[in-house]
Amino acid sequence: MGICFFIGHRESGDELLPALTEAVERHITEYGITSFMVGRYGNFDKLAARVVIDEKKRHPEVTLTLLLPYHPFDRPIPTPEGFDGTFYPPGMETVPKRVAIVRANRYMMENSSHLIAYAWHPASNARKLMEYAQAREKKGKIHVENLAEKVGKPFI
């Protein structure tokens, strides 16, 4: 059993929902993933959380955790409805706030067994993280699924 993390472009639209739902269902039923982690800084994150919350109704063993890039002491965030908890990565206390989201995402990339992504923009942090994940995938350290390929947005 591992953790599935999500990374994608903040302006992702609802047309992504069917592919995202299919991917999450596959991760639960085929890969045995029951732990999902997502951020909250863009529409892709909102869509991913919505799909996992819906899947939890059919699969009560599934958990959803909110990734916190900023220390909860500085920015207290109650656990949102539908989530099972929050997580602040260790060692982030000294990370400058301007790079906290990127660093938290990278931490999750290094500590997850699966990644569901939606990355295709040539110049974006999601794209850079996707490239990093693909390099890790070649070493057998993570399983990556990029939904951009399924919805006609090639990763160039």
Side-chain angles (χ1 to χ4, degrees), residues 5-76:
F5 184 57
F6 296 91
I7 193 82
H9 300 302
R10 66 179 57 231
E11 71 279 353
S12 303
D14 287 355
E15 70 277 357
L16 192 58
L17 274 173
L20 189 54
T21 301
E22 181 183 305
V24 170
E25 177 69 21
R26 182 174 39 263
H27 277 73
I28 295 167
T29 60
E30 292 180 25
Y31 305 134
I33 299 296
T34 58
S35 180
F36 292 87
M37 178 91 59
V38 67
R40 65 181 290 165
Y41 291 98
N43 203 47
F44 181 78
D45 290 345
K46 288 178 186 150
L47 293 172
R50 184 166 125 197
V51 167
V52 174
I53 289 168
D54 285 347
E55 288 294 322
K56 286 174 56 169
K57 295 171 188 163
R58 288 185 290 288
H59 303 279
E61 72 280 11
V62 167
T63 62
L64 178 61
T65 304
L66 176 64
L67 175 64
L68 301 177
Y70 306 108
H71 197 284
F73 179 79
D74 296 336
R75 292 188 182 186

Side-chain angles (χ1 to χ4, degrees), residues 86-130:
T86 60
F87 175 72
Y88 179 71
M92 293 278 298
E93 297 82 7
T94 59
V95 173
K97 288 185 174 146
R98 61 184 162 70
V99 295
I101 293 173
V102 172
R103 191 71 60 85
N105 286 342
R106 190 173 179 104
Y107 175 89
M108 287 311 305
M109 209 69 77
E110 293 170 353
N111 291 280
S112 298
S113 59
H114 290 74
L115 173 70
I116 298 175
Y118 181 61
W120 57 274
H121 283 204
S124 71
N125 284 325
R127 163 102 181 192
K128 290 174 190 168
L129 286 165
M130 180 68 189

